[in-house]
Amino acid sequence: MRRMDRVRVALRRHWLFGLALAAAVIVRAGTMLAFRPVMWFGGDSASYLATALRLVPDPSRVGGYAALLWILRPLHSFAAVGLVQHLMGLATAIMLYALARRYGLPAWAATLATLPVLFDAYQLQLESDIVPDSSFGLLVVVALYLMLRIPGERRVGRAAAAAFLLGVSAVIWPVGLPLLVVLLVALVIRRAGLVALAAAILAGALPVVAYAGWFDVHLHRLSLTT
C-alpha cells in the first residue's frame, strides 16, 4: 500500500508534466510513422554509419556517435535507432523537469521549461535523423543533473561521472571539450577539493584519450580529426 500511496502522491504532484509527457509520446509515435524508418542527413549520416560498420574513424569528424549505431547494429533496424533517440529526448525532458522542481519552480513553470524539448519540431527532426544531436544533448543534461545534485558525501564520484560523460560527449561532438573545461572551473569555484578535481580530470580525459588512440591506430595521428 505504501508504494501505491507514493505513486498516487506523485501523480497528483506531477499530473501536468505527466500530461505533457504523454502528449509528447503520441507526437513521437506519429513522427516515427510519418518518417519511416528514419531521416537521412546527407554525408554526415553516411559517415557515422560507415564508421559503425567498418570500425574505422572518419578523418573529417569525430565518430563517437557511431558507437550507438554499432550497439544497435544487431537489430538491423534504422527504426530502432529512431526509437532510442526519441526515448533520449523524453529522458532529457524528464531530467530538466526534475531539476527545475528541485530548485523550487512550481509544476507549471517546470513543465513549461520542458516544452521545447518535448514538442519543438526541430527537436523531433533531430531525434529522427541519423545524427548525434540527441545523444550529445542527453549526455550533457545527465552531467548537468549530476553536478547540480552533488551532495557533500558523494561529490568525488558524481564529479568524476559528470566529467566522464562530458568526455564521451566530446568524442560525439568536439564542443563537449569546452563544456568539460567549464565543469572543471565550476569544481574549483565550488571548492570541491583536489581529489574531486583530479578525479574529474582523469575521468574526463579517459574517453578523449581513448578515441585519440583509436584514431592514431588507423590514421597515424594522435588527434580527434585531421
Side-chain angles (χ1 to χ4, degrees):
M1 287 297 295
R2 289 182 178 178
R3 181 175 296 178
M4 291 301 298
D5 289 340
R6 288 196 212 101
V7 171
R8 291 192 191 98
V9 170
L11 289 175
R12 283 198 297 268
R13 288 188 61 196
H14 309 297
W15 66 270
L16 184 60
F17 177 70
L19 288 177
L21 188 64
V25 171
I26 294 172
V27 169
R28 280 162 173 76
T31 302
M32 290 192 67
L33 290 174
F35 299 101
R36 290 179 289 179
V38 286
M39 288 187 273
W40 198 258
F41 194 75
D44 291 48
S45 296
S47 169
Y48 296 126
L49 184 60
T51 299
L53 293 175
R54 298 183 301 172
L55 296 180
V56 175
D58 188 311
S60 64
R61 60 174 57 84
V62 290
Y65 171 68
L68 174 64
L69 301 179
W70 180 80
I71 291 170
L72 297 175
R73 179 181 177 181
L75 300 178
H76 300 289
S77 171
F78 283 123
V81 178
L83 175 61
V84 169
Q85 293 184 165
H86 284 308
L87 292 175
M88 288 179 174
L90 296 173
T92 299
I94 290 170
M95 282 185 291
L96 291 174
Y97 176 81
L99 278 177
R101 291 307 307 272
R102 177 176 176 82
Y103 280 86
L105 266 68
W108 68 267
T111 301
L112 188 64
T114 66
L115 294 186
V117 178
L118 291 176
F119 296 109
D120 181 75
Y122 191 43
Q123 172 74 19
L124 293 171
Q125 177 188 335
L126 291 172
E127 292 174 14
S128 302
D129 273 327
I130 302 294
V131 291
D133 301 62
S134 299
S135 51
F136 175 84
L138 179 63
L139 288 171
V140 172
V141 171
V142 173
L144 178 67
Y145 183 87
L146 289 173
M147 282 300 298
L148 292 180
R149 293 179 64 92
I150 292 177
E153 67 274 11
R154 297 181 183 177
R155 181 171 293 167
V156 174
R158 293 204 177 197
F164 179 78
L165 291 174
L166 290 180
V168 174
S169 78
V171 300
I172 292 178
W173 264 354
V175 74
L177 285 174
L179 293 179
L180 180 58
V181 174
V182 170
L183 170 64
L184 299 178
V185 172
L187 290 174
V188 172
I189 293 174
R190 296 177 64 173
R191 299 181 181 177
L194 290 177
V195 175
L197 183 62
I201 292 172
L202 291 174
L206 180 61
V208 178
V209 172
Y211 186 91
W214 179 54
F215 193 90
D216 184 51
V217 167
H218 290 280
L219 299 173
H220 311 293
R221 180 173 178 177
L222 193 64
S223 179
L224 299 181
T225 67
T226 56

